[in-house]
Amino acid sequence: MVFFSQNAANISLLFVLLRKTMDRIMTRLSVNINKIATLRNARGADVPNVVKVALDCENFGADGITVHPRPDERHIRRSDVYDLRPLLRTEFNIEGYPSPDFIDLVLKVKPHQVTLVPDSPAQLTSNAGWDTKKNLEFLTEVLDGFNHAGIRTSVFVSADAEMIEYAAKAGADRVELYTEPYATAYSQNKEAAVAPFVEAAKVARSLGLGLNAGHDLSLVNLNYLYQNIPWMDEVSIGHSLISDALYLGLERTIQEYKNCLR
Ligand code: PXP
């Protein structure tokens, strides 16, 4: 009996160690499901069901789910965030502008990660990183609250060494690189497109920051980014992934994005 329980303890320790090692070497795919909520909201009922799609994404291989609740609830609603929290089995990432309402929601829901983005309520989608130098005091205060609550923090920034340094000063655990400029420049000259992101990623690593990336990543440009920055912790992808799923189906699409991270 003692022999068996000792063995069980050893096996579970092995799993924990394996998981920690994988966490260190893997770039995780977090699927942003805002577009699913946009589709649902178009008809006012519950089709497609946001929670079911999130759970299916997990079953199909996603390593995390990202949502971006906005004040006008035009896609993800506050209620979706509460519904998702107890059911998700992978990493839950909530991104958004840290308004008092947003901070309150995140502190109540306690996701694994919160990503701070500087967008105004009316904005179509995030289109810039934070000016972390100008907003140092504000970000320090907000990050401090999340750090105390045990929620990992990430700050959305451009591939700019100074912005990354100030994100570290503010107390962020990670930065998320805003990859739209990489995605736009990729078709012209992929080496030139990725170069500033590799430099920025090195700055983040030298400061001990974790590294996420997101915006306009796709099956076309993701693998090249990964090859050049294999130490990324996570990529967060919505628009292209959900669009690809219209043709390929959600399961195959998620597998194909995962294949880009190998
Ligand atoms: N990261 C952040 C901070 C975002 O605001 C978004 C868009 O919601 C994404 C990643 C995902 O971008 P995309 O939908 O272009 O994949």
Side-chain angles (χ1 to χ4, degrees):
M1 195 64 188
V2 173
F3 171 79
F4 280 118
S5 63
Q6 186 61 47
N7 262 5
N10 286 345
I11 288 170
S12 64
L13 183 67
L14 202 66
F15 272 115
V16 172
L17 289 175
L18 200 65
R19 184 133 193 232
K20 286 204 163 145
T21 312
M22 290 303 286
D23 277 356
R24 242 176 275 135
I25 58 177
M26 241 177 83
T27 300
R28 296 170 162 267
L29 171 66
S30 185
V31 175
N32 179 318
I33 57 166
N34 291 345
K35 288 278 156 16
I36 303 298
T38 306
L39 190 56
R40 175 204 53 198
N41 296 355
R43 278 293 175 96
D46 195 26
V47 177
N49 181 284
V50 167
V51 173
K52 181 178 181 327
V53 174
L55 298 179
D56 285 338
C57 287
E58 290 185 325
N59 286 334
F60 298 152
D63 306 299
I65 299 294
T66 292
V67 295
H68 190 147
R70 292 178 187 265
D72 60 4
E73 300 199 317
R74 67 176 182 264
H75 36 67
I76 289 292
R77 301 174 182 143
R78 281 177 81 94
S79 57
D80 293 325
V81 181
Y82 285 107
D83 290 347
L84 285 162
R85 181 64 179 111
L87 298 174
L88 294 181
R89 283 171 290 107
T90 60
E91 285 235 351
F92 192 22
N93 174 44
I94 306 181
E95 59 181 35
Y97 180 82
S99 63
D101 267 2
F102 178 85
I103 294 173
D104 174 67
L105 176 68
V106 173
L107 289 176
K108 281 188 178 131
V109 170
K110 285 204 180 4
H112 300 92
Q113 177 176 272
V114 59
T115 301
L116 305 186
V117 293
D119 54 356
S120 69
Q123 217 155 291
L124 197 58
T125 181
S126 319
N127 63 0
W130 282 95
D131 184 335
T132 48
K133 188 174 180 183
K134 198 165 139 199
N135 293 286
L136 180 63
E137 206 178 315
F138 173 60
L139 288 173
T140 304
E141 193 182 316
V142 171
L143 291 171
D144 192 48
F146 291 135
N147 288 335
H148 269 94
I151 302 166
R152 189 174 68 229
T153 55
S154 180
V155 171
F156 194 51
V157 288
S158 298
D160 177 316
E162 192 179 37
M163 294 302 117
I164 296 168
E165 279 158 18
Y166 275 86
K169 274 191 192 149
D173 297 310
R174 293 187 183 182
V175 285
E176 178 179 330
L177 297 180
Y178 172 49
T179 45
E180 189 274 340
Y182 161 71
T184 304
Y186 179 89
S187 57
Q188 304 288 319
N189 180 342
K190 60 184 181 180
E191 289 85 3
V194 85
F197 287 84
V198 174
E199 284 317 302
K202 287 181 181 165
V203 172
R205 186 168 60 181
S206 72
L207 293 166
L209 291 169
L211 185 69
N212 297 343
H215 230 286
D216 297 285
L217 295 176
S218 70
L219 288 176
V220 173
N221 58 42
L222 180 60
N223 181 250
Y224 191 70
L225 184 73
Y226 172 71
Q227 281 175 18
N228 281 276
I229 317 175
W231 66 92
M232 283 184 296
D233 291 296
E234 179 187 288
V235 289
S236 153
I237 308 181
H239 187 81
S240 292
L241 190 152
I242 302 300
S243 303
D244 289 333
L246 293 175
Y247 287 93
L248 306 176
L250 195 52
E251 181 166 11
R252 185 169 147 207
T253 302
I254 290 177
Q255 287 308 315
E256 295 213 1
Y257 275 81
K258 292 274 292 180
N259 288 340
C260 292
L261 299 170
R262 289 188 180 121

